[in-house]
Amino acid sequence: MPLNGVTFRSQTLITLASDSKVLTCAAVWRMPKELESGSHESPDDSSSTAQTLELLCHLDNTAHGNMACVVWEPMGDGKKIISLADNHILLWDLQESSSQAVLASSASLEGKGQLKFTSGRWSPHHNCTQVATANDTTLRGWDTRSMSQIYCIENAHGQLVRDLDFNPNKQYYLASCGDDCKVKFWDTRNVTEPVKTLEEHSHWVWNVRYNHSHDQLVLTGSSDSRVILSNMVSISSEPFGHLVDDDDISDQEDHRSEEKSKEPLQDNVIATYEEHEDSVYAVDWSSADPWLFASLSYDGRLVINRVPRALKYHILL
């Protein structure tokens, strides 16, 4: 994330143990210039030494509890960070010197029991004024300008909600997953029922991620040791397929294209990847190549895969 011409990374959670107490906190670091996005320097791997990150500041959460999640504002100047600590949602403002993070505003979960956040995502839509969070079986939406709740989906899942993600190309659409082995897709304007539900996994679903460019592609990772790539085209930004320029096709081809575009393509599982032998705790798409994705399992195995070539060309052509 660029800030004043310098690249930062804040999604670093640090666990400290002292006197039998464990505290999970977060910090903001500066990356070396050679590793910055867009840098033209290409050090020789054989001669280069390990680079040292510069610690800029800690997000002081001592009064709020353990950090569960830290996310940058998707757009803007990179000065805002949201963190979730126990039952608190905290909005941080990085100072001009970048050596201090000031708590700008906050809100707390209220209700019976020990409510704790498990996950959160910052929406890239609505001028980046909305954040979605998960706690227990509930999904909530927050307005970052007032830190007030704007929607609540109670019992979104039958068991603990593990993760969520916003559709990058279609506002109001949100995906969630949890310990009920399901992946659900929501329209936050009408939260009474999910618009779609996937039940392909046989154990807890830890991660769900939309493709950054082609939002019909959705990745999920689970404790069943599998990664599933799904094609959710009916609720994507292009439910009728890729539009073709009239100048590029003949009249006959144009007629066939119109016939095919009358009905949405069907949602389906594209592929199931079983290279892992343990629970898959993380999946994510490459920020540079929209057809490349990675998965990480409990046993430390990192697997890189690509979207099948046939599907890639079907989407593009």
Side-chain angles (χ1 to χ4, degrees):
M1 172 64 67
L3 175 60
N4 296 334
V6 183
T7 300
F8 293 88
R9 180 173 180 81
S10 73
Q11 294 185 0
T12 303
L13 299 181
I14 307 169
T15 302
L16 305 175
S18 176
D19 299 328
S20 300
K21 295 181 180 180
V22 176
L23 176 65
T24 303
C25 55
V28 179
W29 304 79
R30 189 202 309 269
M31 295 175 62
K33 290 185 177 181
E34 308 88 78
L35 302 180
E36 288 181 23
S37 176
S39 173
H40 297 291
E41 298 184 32
S42 180
D44 183 2
D45 292 338
S46 61
S47 61
S48 62
T49 58
Q51 301 292 319
T52 303
L53 299 177
E54 178 187 353
L55 175 62
L56 296 178
C57 63
H58 287 280
L59 303 183
D60 185 8
N61 63 305
T62 52
H64 302 99
N66 286 308
M67 289 282 192
C69 179
V70 183
V71 290
W72 284 106
E73 181 184 22
M75 310 294 180
D77 56 10
K79 293 182 180 179
K80 292 182 180 180
I81 302 171
I82 283 285
S83 67
L84 305 177
D86 283 351
N87 67 324
H88 301 280
I89 177 170
L90 311 169
L91 176 62
W92 302 88
D93 185 12
L94 292 180
Q95 298 297 290
E96 290 297 329
S97 63
S98 306
S99 60
Q100 185 180 9
V102 176
L103 183 60
S105 57
S106 65
S108 302
L109 288 175
E110 296 181 358
K112 297 180 180 179
Q114 295 182 341
L115 301 177
K116 291 185 178 182
F117 289 111
T118 54
S119 183
R121 299 290 282 184
W122 203 319
S123 172
H125 309 294
H126 314 289
N127 294 320
C128 299
T129 59
Q130 295 186 12
V131 172
T133 62
N135 69 282
D136 197 18
T137 62
T138 301
L139 298 176
R140 303 174 193 269
W142 305 82
D143 189 323
T144 59
R145 296 166 294 185
S146 60
M147 296 304 282
S148 59
Q149 187 172 292
I150 53 178
Y151 59 82
C152 179
I153 311 176
E154 295 183 348
N155 300 314
H157 286 262
Q159 298 181 50
L160 181 70
V161 180
R162 292 282 177 181
D163 194 26
L164 60 158
D165 196 23
F166 282 98
N167 185 316
N169 303 328
K170 196 173 183 181
Q171 62 179 350
Y172 303 113
Y173 276 70
L174 175 71
S176 63
C177 61
D179 287 1
D180 59 359
C181 313
K182 297 178 181 180
V183 181
K184 295 186 178 183
F185 299 86
W186 306 89
D187 183 339
T188 58
R189 295 167 297 183
N190 181 8
V191 296
T192 54
E193 293 289 339
V195 293
K196 284 282 183 178
T197 301
L198 292 179
E199 301 184 49
E200 300 296 332
H201 286 288
S202 59
H203 208 266
W204 302 347
V205 186
W206 284 84
N207 254 169
V208 56
R209 287 292 180 269
Y210 275 104
N211 186 286
H212 307 306
S213 302
H214 308 287
D215 56 277
Q216 65 265 52
L217 302 179
V218 177
L219 274 178
T220 54
S222 167
S223 293
D224 63 10
S225 305
R226 296 185 300 160
V227 175
I228 294 180
L229 174 61
S230 300
N231 188 19
M232 303 304 296
V233 66
S234 71
I235 54 174
S236 73
S237 58
E238 291 186 350
F240 294 94
H242 182 69
L243 298 179
V244 183
D245 192 334
D246 292 342
D247 295 334
D248 296 337
I249 55 177
S250 67
D251 292 339
Q252 184 177 2
E253 290 173 332
D254 187 31
H255 179 68
R256 288 200 300 265
S257 177
E258 288 178 357
E259 288 184 341
K260 289 182 179 180
S261 66
K262 291 179 181 178
E263 296 183 1
L265 297 175
Q266 295 297 310
D267 300 334
N268 65 300
V269 172
I270 299 167
T272 299
Y273 302 88
E274 301 184 352
E275 294 96 337
H276 292 282
E277 298 177 357
D278 212 328
S279 297
V280 179
Y281 284 162
V283 295
D284 214 341
W285 294 95
S286 166
S287 59
D289 185 342
W291 311 108
L292 192 69
F293 60 90
S295 54
L296 180 66
S297 54
Y298 179 76
D299 56 6
R301 178 175 294 181
L302 176 68
V303 178
I304 307 295
N305 273 303
R306 285 188 175 275
V307 173
R309 186 186 298 268
L311 177 66
K312 171 183 176 180
Y313 291 130
H314 179 76
I315 293 174
L316 291 178
L317 300 177

